[in-house]
Amino acid sequence: MNNFNFYSPTEFVFGKDRENECGTYVKKFGGSKVLIHYGGNSAKKSGLLDRVKKSLENSGIAYCELGGVQPNPRDGLVYKGIELCRKENIDFILAVGGGSVIDSSKAIAAGVPYDGDFWDFYSGKRIEKALPVGTVLTIAAAGSEGSGDSVITKEDGMFKRGAGSDALRPKFSVMNPELTQTLPAYQTACGATDIMAHVFERYFTNTTEVEITDRLCEAVLMTMVKETPRVIADPNNYEARANIMWAGMVAHNNIVGVGREQDWNSHGIEHELSALYDCAHGAGLAVIMPAWMEFVYKHNIMRFCQMAVRVFGCNMDFENPENTAIAGIKAFRRFLHDIGMPINFAELGAKEEDIPALTEKLGLGDGKTGGFVHLSSEDVSQIYKIAAKATL
Amino acid sequence: MNNFNFYSPTEFVFGKDRENECGTYVKKFGGSKVLIHYGGNSAKKSGLLDRVKKSLENSGIAYCELGGVQPNPRDGLVYKGIELCRKENIDFILAVGGGSVIDSSKAIAAGVPYDGDFWDFYSGKRIEKALPVGTVLTIAAAGSEGSGDSVITKEDGMFKRGAGSDALRPKFSVMNPELTQTLPAYQTACGATDIMAHVFERYFTNTTEVEITDRLCEAVLMTMVKETPRVIADPNNYEARANIMWAGMVAHNNIVGVGREQDWNSHGIEHELSALYDCAHGAGLAVIMPAWMEFVYKHNIMRFCQMAVRVFGCNMDFENPENTAIAGIKAFRRFLHDIGMPINFAELGAKEEDIPALTEKLGLGDGKTGGFVHLSSEDVSQIYKIAAKATL
């Protein structure tokens, strides 16, 4: 196990009707004038936005609003948000939505007290301070409600880049599973895939002797394998929604990933897909992750056997462990297909002829990525090719 | 799943040599004059106390010291600590030791800003504020480094009582597994038992549909089942020590226990044993927990089957599930015996004739406890009797 710091100071406020308490928590964490940041009309139509405003009013907190966050949130709206916050003397940002809204809120929070261009933070500059952020989560997926991470897409060139800092960790996150019940099956499945990917990115490591985090990773994965099909079958299953929502936080606040090298190549490779085709991040991951696994599994066959046996209940082939490793990857892809995810380029709406452009955009040049297996441009291109043609 | 709040704002600073950074973290969390609180001479002899002081000096932080915390920490030293902190204008308490030292530090932290008797908090009064506490952990066991809980024994009558508050959660906890390597096998095993008990107290619940926390509980338990025998066999096994140390935090900061009713009867029943005989808490739990399980398992046989199959790898007897439930409890007791723990009163140094007094002291009267199964005085007495005579 490697040395590490773990710091997850967010207060999670979980369960039915808890959005009615968000005024109390904004106050608890020092907010007096709030920017409510949200996405499309669903938060309005469902009455959620009204409940949030009422809760703020009950606590005597002023607010203004900025809607319009798109999936794969753009820098344009972030600039607009920063300007609005400065003009209105906002001291707290309340994200009402999913990962995109939260990521956009974090970017605004970092940008407001910073003299330069907020994009500097998405180009590697360290974030030292930010406005406090709270969230009212409506999609179980990104884990952004418990993480210090944010991903923004630069409209000029559609580059998707991330920034991370403890300063971006939400002060509180309201997590009411009921709010996710209106989410269509496809988006629910995309979220579930993203949650599992967050775990796999940590699970595939070269660090040995990490039994506790291995087991915690597997706990989240097994939960997703059990609960996701239940939600797809019945979107109103509160209990399954609740298990998935909490699993989504656990998957990404790093409690399952401390003390070990992590991978994150699948996320990097996928980001180019969702940036180019504007597809859902989770759908892109469903296509990329199993392909990545097929490309790298020989690097550590026993680790893939561990996944196969412990997570997907495969029988161990002691005579030929490679069979078990392959069976585990196949079981994962079959699971993704069964919950309605695309498993190849055609199903995703991606084109094989774009592979050179996708690879080029990742910008590896003659270099290699870090992670479980270090990948060259040629390796990434191979992974896209496997993903393009994948079948069950 | 029930509604819940989860809040674990402690910064965990984990790994080799990290105690050399504690000055940095005291400063980060606003301390300028520290009480170093510790137990016996081992922290002095090992050089740990000197390293801690040097780190504080390097950060320009003043300090004074109070040693002498005993296992099952007493109120007498807490009063002394409170007085010393007030006299010396202490603004931060640094616990260097195990759960007892941390619990004593939390009691002092709560007492300093309070006008009345600190024991009020251990009699049910709510803790609103406390001095900030940091820890340098030397024993993986109590989980006090990541919890808001504290247990203190009142010398007058040897009553053991707990208090809990988010205000008591440590600001930071340095967790260097090397510091636990000098711990004798017996104490190491006591710690491991305590860690497992913290999980079991949460695992046995009447709340249904809590797959994510069930799986997380099982993750910690399986880790302990794997790693504890390795440490007993080789006390210098850093990797196994590291896994156990992190498991000990995860077991008790409540990430594995949210959204569900919890039990805690075994802890209550055990506390009377360690208060009367001054035995190690973990050793008492090794005697009590399996006995409690044997008394209550019929309340939910399938839950005990789940433990048996998932944690201890028992085969499921589908024709007679009760056999599997019993096999799981037996496997747990066998495990405890194998790591050197007592499994009955004789091995613990407790006396069967004290059972009426032990039961009386718990103070149930005609009432019942809460938890998985609500227990009357007579039930508790039965559990002590099972514990008294237990065999493999």
Side-chain angles (χ1 to χ4, degrees), chain B residues 165-381:
Chain B
S165 165
D166 281 340
L168 296 186
R169 289 188 181 271
K171 297 297 175 193
F172 71 88
S173 283
V174 169
M175 302 172 73
N176 176 357
E178 289 175 312
L179 301 179
T180 68
Q181 286 177 206
T182 50
L183 209 65
Y186 183 79
Q187 277 177 262
T188 302
C190 286
T193 306
D194 196 16
I195 291 169
M196 294 179 79
H198 289 157
V199 179
F200 280 129
E201 298 283 22
R202 295 170 162 100
Y203 190 67
F204 292 105
T205 181
N206 295 308
T207 312
T208 56
E209 297 272 21
V210 284
E211 181 76 0
I212 178 66
T213 35
D214 270 4
R215 290 289 191 185
L216 292 171
C217 283
E218 290 154 3
V220 177
L221 292 168
M222 284 187 281
T223 301
M224 297 306 296
V225 168
K226 177 186 169 193
E227 303 294 355
T228 309
R230 296 176 75 203
V231 166
I232 301 302
D234 173 13
N236 291 315
N237 187 328
Y238 176 85
E239 299 293 355
R241 291 272 186 196
N243 276 287
I244 290 173
M245 197 173 212
W246 191 238
M249 194 294 289
V250 174
H252 202 42
N253 84 334
N254 214 27
I255 188 87
V256 307
V258 292
R260 47 166 70 205
E261 267 182 42
Q262 303 185 2
D263 189 67
W264 296 98
N265 277 323
S266 294
H267 266 71
I269 296 169
E270 190 293 315
H271 277 172
E272 301 311 327
L273 283 182
S274 49
L276 184 64
Y277 304 110
D278 212 20
C279 60
H281 175 52
L285 285 167
V287 174
I288 292 298
M289 278 230 90
W292 172 85
M293 290 179 180
E294 282 169 346
F295 187 78
V296 304
Y297 78 88
K298 285 184 180 161
H299 176 65
N300 188 343
I301 285 174
M302 290 310 278
R303 181 147 280 270
F304 278 89
C305 289
Q306 183 177 317
M307 170 191 87
V309 172
R310 290 188 181 173
V311 178
F312 292 103
C314 300
N315 286 318
M316 180 66 191
D317 185 336
F318 293 95
E319 208 163 292
N320 190 350
E322 190 170 351
N323 288 343
T324 305
I326 294 167
I329 300 168
K330 277 187 187 299
F332 179 39
R333 188 179 275 132
R334 161 69 67 180
F335 169 84
L336 294 167
H337 170 79
D338 287 351
I339 62 170
M341 285 288 91
I343 58 159
N344 54 40
F345 268 31
E347 291 181 14
L348 183 70
K351 289 176 201 138
E352 209 173 335
E353 59 262 35
D354 290 336
I355 289 177
L358 287 164
T359 308
E360 175 67 25
K361 241 185 171 177
L362 205 61
L364 283 176
D366 292 333
K368 286 197 173 195
T369 64
F372 184 62
V373 173
H374 295 206
L375 303 174
S376 66
S377 276
E378 177 51 29
D379 296 332
V380 171
S381 174

Side-chain angles (χ1 to χ4, degrees), chain A residues 141-293:
Chain A
S144 192
E145 71 280 8
S147 83
D149 303 327
S150 161
V151 178
I152 300 290
T153 299
K154 198 175 181 59
E155 284 158 15
D156 179 10
M158 291 305 275
F159 286 100
K160 210 167 167 179
R161 293 291 177 265
S165 164
D166 281 339
L168 296 186
R169 290 188 181 270
K171 297 296 174 195
F172 71 87
S173 284
V174 170
M175 302 171 75
N176 176 356
E178 290 176 311
L179 301 180
T180 68
Q181 285 176 206
T182 50
L183 208 67
Y186 182 78
Q187 275 177 263
T188 302
C190 285
T193 306
D194 197 15
I195 291 168
M196 293 180 78
H198 288 157
V199 179
F200 280 130
E201 297 283 23
R202 294 172 164 100
Y203 191 66
F204 292 104
T205 182
N206 295 308
T207 311
T208 56
E209 297 273 20
V210 284
E211 182 75 1
I212 178 66
T213 35
D214 270 4
R215 290 289 191 185
L216 293 171
C217 283
E218 290 153 4
V220 177
L221 293 167
M222 283 187 283
T223 300
M224 297 306 296
V225 168
K226 177 186 170 194
E227 303 293 355
T228 309
R230 296 176 74 201
V231 166
I232 301 302
D234 173 13
N236 291 316
N237 186 328
Y238 176 85
E239 299 292 356
R241 290 272 186 197
N243 276 286
I244 289 173
M245 198 173 211
W246 191 239
M249 194 293 290
V250 174
H252 202 42
N253 85 334
N254 215 27
I255 188 87
V256 307
V258 292
R260 48 166 69 203
E261 267 181 43
Q262 304 185 3
D263 189 67
W264 296 98
N265 277 322
S266 294
H267 265 71
I269 295 168
E270 190 293 316
H271 278 173
E272 301 311 326
L273 283 181
S274 50
L276 184 63
Y277 303 111
D278 213 20
C279 61
H281 174 52
L285 285 167
V287 174
I288 293 298
M289 278 229 88
W292 172 85
M293 290 179 180

